[in-house]
Amino acid sequence: MARKLTRRTVLRTTGAAALTFGSGLLSAIDGAAAAAPKRGGHLRLGIGGGHSGDSLDPITFADLFMAVLGAGALYSRLTEVDVDGKLIGALAESWQASPDAATWTFELRKGVTFHDGKPFTSADVIASINHHRGPDSKSPIKQIVDPIESMAADGDSRVVIKLKGGNADFPYLLFDYHLCMMPEGAMGKGIGTGGYVLESFEPGVRAVAKRNPNYYRGDARAHFDSIELINFADIAARTNALLSGGVDIISGVDLKTLERLKSVPGIAINEQTGNKHFMFQMITTNDLYKDNNVRMALKYAVDREEMLEKILYGHGMLGNDHPVGPANRYFDRSLEQRAYDPDKAKFHLKQAGLSSLTVDLATSDGAFAGAVDMAVLYQKSAAAAGITVNVDRVPGDGYWKNIWRVRPFCASYSSGRATEDWMLSSSYLSGVPWNATQWSNEAFDKLLIAARTELDDDKRRQMYGEMQRLIRDDCGVIAPLFTNHVEAHSSKLAHGQVGNASEMDSGLMIERWWFA
């Protein structure tokens, strides 16, 4: 086991280094590209999104730190989205649907054991999924498992799941990072079948794990001897840790300094186009935001072009106030792009019976890097439309518990999802827990349910296009930007093709990468 590395140690080590780009602080091997994977080494990740309220129960996973540790290292899921976006087996070797896509039979891998030695069986699958079900469930993916009518074990290695209605994308949903497989009777204890066994966990600070000697994928995955995740909410501290050699990879690179970071010897950049998007979210049941004219006025008051230039420095693309992204199959490129238009914003204010508007916008760089700057830019552009935006900068720790879904207007982000149904069902369907805007639209709900069983590709594309339009023109989401996934790492690290379903190689960087 490598020496214990604390966040304090890293910060102390990096203090002398500061942000002296181009000084060659690392003497790594440049160009360590995709050679054959090899085993060994202690991987240190400087990563954001850890919180003091984090736990090992997947129901509580709400940010990048726990998604990468939990779903990417400790636990396994039934299915996986591969680097080409195709669905492949993980703990499920194969699956078969009935003609109406309402009954799914999963064949499980045999001979798999949990970290405590208990064999993985169909009973564990049913218990793990039931962990998210029930009328009192607080699970953020309750909407994914609610359509399940029944589950039955057919022996130890087969599970039959019957849905209340057909869903051609159902196996994709099982890749959600909350749907981790755990032993029956030991939910949320950190005991999984994943490539790493937990050694220590300090919520919001760090976690250490060692390689699982009985990993069911053998030598094909999980190449590091041990891993260590260190939470860095501050982006500058995260960058300094990488530059000084205190960590091997960092998430969420500061785009302001990306070009200079690229020039540092021994540092490599991983950049992927994806579905991650930044948002300002309004709770549509709040008295101020009930009127769609107010919501539309706030949408037209955003100068997206300026945000793309000054927040993303071109590393992304304009958003159109809906969550379906360029990496999604049915992304509607024909939908007219919303542009900054103070006159239209004033028109909608007038329709709402207002000559001016004052709103409080809660934001924090703990929500996403650049959230405060984005709010300040919005403040400036909205003023031209007669809208006063009071930027309320709040602490990052506890943001997702105390601010998101609580404050009527706040900054937020989503990593996006591999399929449209997954994205829209988890965050836009009426009444689901992660519908942060509390938006409800009957026409949208009907289309979403109908699209699940529509087999005609053209009709399905048309339906998802209409849903994007409904969200753009009616929902309480302002989504000005899709951002690329940008990570920086020591060039001692090597990898094959990188997935873009979400950040950090679809959350599986720990499994797929290795030291050259």
Side-chain angles (χ1 to χ4, degrees):
M1 185 69 203
R3 69 185 175 89
K4 182 176 178 179
L5 188 67
T6 67
R7 181 169 52 179
R8 183 184 297 273
T9 304
V10 171
L11 290 171
R12 188 166 57 238
T13 305
T14 59
L19 265 171
T20 50
F21 292 101
S23 60
L25 293 170
L26 294 176
S27 56
I29 305 165
D30 283 314
K38 64 180 184 181
R39 179 83 65 82
H42 178 68
L43 175 70
R44 303 154 303 170
L45 299 94
I47 194 167
H51 302 274
S52 56
D54 286 344
S55 85
L56 297 170
D57 186 341
I59 283 179
T60 67
F61 294 175
D63 214 329
L64 184 63
F65 190 98
M66 291 310 301
V68 171
L69 172 65
L74 306 180
Y75 302 116
S76 305
R77 287 159 282 182
L78 291 181
T79 60
E80 178 180 317
V81 175
D82 76 1
V83 294
D84 295 316
K86 298 193 298 290
L87 196 67
I88 61 175
L91 284 176
E93 279 190 319
S94 63
W95 48 90
Q96 191 168 21
S98 60
D100 62 356
T103 300
W104 290 85
T105 301
F106 293 88
E107 302 290 343
L108 308 180
R109 289 184 189 275
K110 297 181 176 70
V112 178
T113 58
F114 287 99
H115 298 157
D116 61 359
K118 178 189 176 303
F120 166 71
T121 70
S122 50
D124 302 309
V125 173
I126 292 172
S128 297
I129 295 175
N130 275 338
H131 186 54
H132 299 271
R133 300 176 73 202
D136 298 326
S137 171
K138 304 296 183 188
S139 173
I141 57 159
K142 187 173 183 292
Q143 77 291 337
I144 288 178
V145 294
D146 266 352
I148 295 175
E149 185 173 85
S150 66
M151 291 187 287
D154 182 5
D156 283 344
S157 302
R158 180 180 296 155
V159 176
V160 180
I161 300 177
K162 290 186 178 180
L163 308 178
K164 295 170 186 171
N167 188 345
D169 287 341
F170 183 68
Y172 271 98
L173 303 182
L174 301 177
F175 184 59
D176 189 286
Y177 65 89
H178 300 91
L179 265 175
C180 302
M181 295 296 109
M182 298 171 283
E184 184 182 24
M187 296 291 112
K189 307 294 185 187
I191 303 169
T193 61
Y196 291 87
V197 181
L198 189 66
E199 288 203 321
S200 65
F201 175 53
E202 301 171 63
V205 181
R206 65 194 288 273
V208 179
K210 64 180 179 182
R211 192 177 190 279
N212 176 8
N214 302 312
Y215 190 35
Y216 72 91
R217 280 174 152 152
D219 292 335
R221 293 280 186 95
H223 307 292
F224 306 108
D225 289 336
S226 54
I227 60 168
E228 182 170 6
L229 284 78
I230 307 166
N231 182 47
F232 287 96
D234 182 74
I235 197 168
R238 204 157 64 222
T239 307
N240 285 338
L242 177 69
L243 289 168
S244 69
V247 297
D248 304 300
I249 182 169
I250 59 171
S251 64
V253 168
D254 184 352
L255 298 176
K256 291 179 202 167
T257 58
L258 180 60
E259 291 307 313
R260 285 183 289 157
L261 193 59
K262 283 179 179 177
S263 69
V264 177
I267 298 293
I269 304 297
N270 170 47
E271 181 167 2
Q272 304 286 322
T273 300
N275 295 326
K276 182 176 179 180
H277 50 283
F278 296 156
M279 297 175 281
F280 298 134
Q281 293 179 316
M282 298 166 260
I283 294 180
T284 58
T285 53
N286 178 276
D287 284 345
L288 184 58
Y289 303 109
K290 276 181 180 175
D291 189 334
N292 191 38
N293 279 299
V294 171
R295 304 198 292 265
M296 291 296 284
L298 288 165
K299 292 174 182 178
Y300 277 115
V302 178
D303 189 338
R304 296 155 207 271
E305 297 280 358
E306 183 181 33
M307 287 182 177
L308 181 62
E309 177 189 349
K310 296 181 178 177
I311 301 297
L312 296 188
Y313 297 86
H315 295 276
M317 60 178 282
L318 296 180
N320 207 7
D321 296 335
H322 65 74
V324 177
N328 283 128
R329 181 179 180 184
Y330 298 114
F331 175 59
D332 188 354
R333 296 182 187 279
S334 69
L335 189 63
E336 183 181 1
Q337 174 64 53
R338 177 159 290 139
Y340 176 49
D341 192 330
D343 290 335
K344 282 188 178 177
K346 289 177 182 176
F347 167 79
H348 283 286
L349 283 185
K350 188 175 181 181
Q351 293 297 109
L354 301 170
S355 58
S356 63
L357 177 66
T358 298
V359 296
D360 296 329
L361 174 60
T363 186
S364 169
D365 282 341
F368 58 84
V372 173
D373 288 343
M374 199 166 106
V376 171
L377 287 179
Y378 183 35
Q379 182 181 52
K380 189 185 76 171
S381 66
I387 298 173
T388 300
V389 177
N390 296 320
V391 176
D392 183 9
R393 186 173 185 172
V394 298
D397 188 39
Y399 187 88
W400 302 108
K401 178 181 179 183
N402 303 322
I403 303 298
W404 185 60
R405 298 189 296 176
V406 176
R407 293 285 293 270
F409 195 26
C410 71
S412 180
Y413 86 95
S414 169
S415 294
R417 297 294 186 271
T419 70
E420 287 78 359
D421 179 69
W422 187 357
M423 181 71 246
L424 302 178
S425 295
S426 62
S427 300
Y428 291 85
L429 186 66
S430 297
V432 299
W434 275 21
N435 183 343
T437 69
Q438 298 179 26
W439 180 61
S440 181
N441 184 298
E442 185 178 353
F444 172 86
D445 290 350
K446 286 181 178 177
L447 271 172
L448 182 58
I449 302 301
R452 291 174 180 169
T453 52
E454 178 55 63
L455 300 179
D456 185 303
D457 196 60
D458 289 339
K459 288 182 180 176
R460 209 171 185 214
R461 182 177 300 281
Q462 189 176 24
M463 294 163 89
Y464 283 119
E466 175 62 10
M467 284 184 264
Q468 289 166 60
R469 188 194 65 76
L470 284 170
I471 294 172
R472 184 194 67 164
D473 294 344
D474 190 56
C475 184
V477 161
I478 299 172
L481 301 171
F482 282 96
T483 179
N484 293 349
H485 303 143
V486 185
E487 292 111 22
H489 61 88
S490 161
S491 52
K492 290 178 180 175
L493 279 171
H495 55 80
Q497 185 178 344
V498 176
N500 67 351
S502 61
E503 296 166 88
M504 308 290 283
D505 196 1
S506 301
L508 294 172
M509 175 266 159
I510 291 174
E511 275 223 357
R512 293 172 172 167
W513 293 34
W514 63 92
F515 281 118

